[in-house]
Amino acid sequence: MIDIISVIAWIAADRVAVLGLGGLTVFGALLEVWNRFKQGEAGPATSSPCRIESVSDRERIHRLLQENEGLMKQSEIVDAVDWSKAKVSRLLSDLEENGEITKIAIGRENLISLPGHEPPAAIS
């Protein structure tokens, strides 16, 4: 004859196993969602690297300069954005090559201006 305690223990063990498997399944699904979310932040791999981001970065620099009467120190731009000094420097060099800004060296610092906003002493 089957003892009632062993039946209860068997049912309890069975439920614990089912709950454990269910918990692992939910955990695995959450990890998969997290990984897909993180990959979405990095963006899909394309042949042209982050063209959309570059445009918005350029626009952000232009807006910063417009908000500051077309003239800012490079260090102020670095402080205003959440980018490295190297990224800001590369972006400003690209903008200068395209004639979108002017970089004026003042000692060890650069003054960045929109065309037509250069200080009078820098034009001569």
Side-chain angles (χ1 to χ4, degrees):
M1 191 161 199
I2 299 177
D3 184 17
I4 191 75
I5 294 175
S6 50
V7 170
I8 293 172
W10 179 76
I11 291 172
D14 189 43
R15 290 194 180 188
V16 167
V18 169
L19 288 175
L21 286 174
L24 285 174
T25 303
V26 169
F27 182 70
L30 288 173
L31 283 176
E32 180 65 23
V33 168
W34 177 258
N35 285 336
R36 288 184 186 206
F37 173 76
K38 293 303 274 184
Q39 287 175 352
E41 283 183 356
T46 60
S47 58
S48 62
C50 300
R51 186 67 182 155
I52 294 172
E53 183 179 332
S54 296
V55 172
S56 64
D57 290 348
R58 290 173 177 270
E59 289 174 0
R60 189 165 177 192
I61 295 293
H62 279 282
R63 286 187 189 130
L64 270 172
L65 288 167
Q66 289 167 353
E67 291 169 2
N68 290 281
E69 300 175 8
L71 200 61
M72 287 180 80
K73 293 179 180 177
Q74 185 168 334
S75 60
E76 293 172 335
I77 294 173
V78 170
D79 292 340
V81 295
D82 190 26
W83 306 328
S84 67
K85 290 179 184 180
K87 178 176 179 172
V88 172
S89 179
R90 283 191 310 267
L91 184 57
L92 293 175
S93 292
D94 289 345
L95 290 169
E96 183 181 35
E97 279 182 23
N98 293 336
E100 298 175 53
I101 64 160
T102 304
K103 284 169 81 174
I104 304 158
I106 301 175
R108 295 180 57 193
E109 196 164 38
N110 288 327
L111 188 62
I112 311 301
S113 70
L114 291 172
H117 290 86
E118 296 88 356
I123 297 173
S124 57

